[in-house]
Amino acid sequence: MKSPVVKRSIVIAGHKTSVSLEDAFWKGLKEIADARHMTLSDIVASIDSQRRHGNLSSAIRLFVLDHYRGQSSDRDHRR
């Protein structure tokens, strides 16, 4: 059985690193980057610079989750 987590390489702050993410989180991250007119490398560098603990993959998952929770909350407040 194929793992739902895929390891991907990305260059941030001039160095190559890898993150292990499910496709849904990777797709969400790309959507957020596009909406903010940022590259994936730039948005991951921003996430990396702001994380306080945990690994980068976890920080990305939390960032994506927080983004979409915020959108959901905004919709609820407009109703």
Side-chain angles (χ1 to χ4, degrees):
M1 184 198 290
K2 186 178 175 187
S3 171
V5 178
V6 178
K7 187 175 249 184
R8 295 172 169 89
S9 295
I10 191 163
V11 177
I12 57 169
H15 68 277
K16 190 174 180 179
T17 190
S18 63
V19 294
S20 298
L21 291 172
E22 296 79 4
D23 283 335
F25 283 104
W26 188 251
K27 182 181 175 191
L29 182 65
K30 289 197 295 188
E31 289 172 357
I32 295 165
D34 287 345
R36 295 182 182 188
H37 306 288
M38 297 175 74
T39 65
L40 276 172
S41 293
D42 288 341
I43 201 160
V44 172
S46 175
I47 294 166
D48 188 40
S49 70
Q50 295 175 24
R51 70 182 163 122
R52 306 231 191 276
H53 50 76
N55 63 43
L56 182 55
S57 296
S58 294
I60 292 170
R61 285 185 192 95
L62 291 172
F63 173 83
V64 171
L65 178 64
D66 185 58
H67 173 82
Y68 287 107
R69 275 186 172 166
Q71 282 188 343
S72 177
S73 178
D74 289 346
R75 279 192 300 269
D76 290 346
H77 284 103
R78 282 182 270 171
R79 290 183 185 170

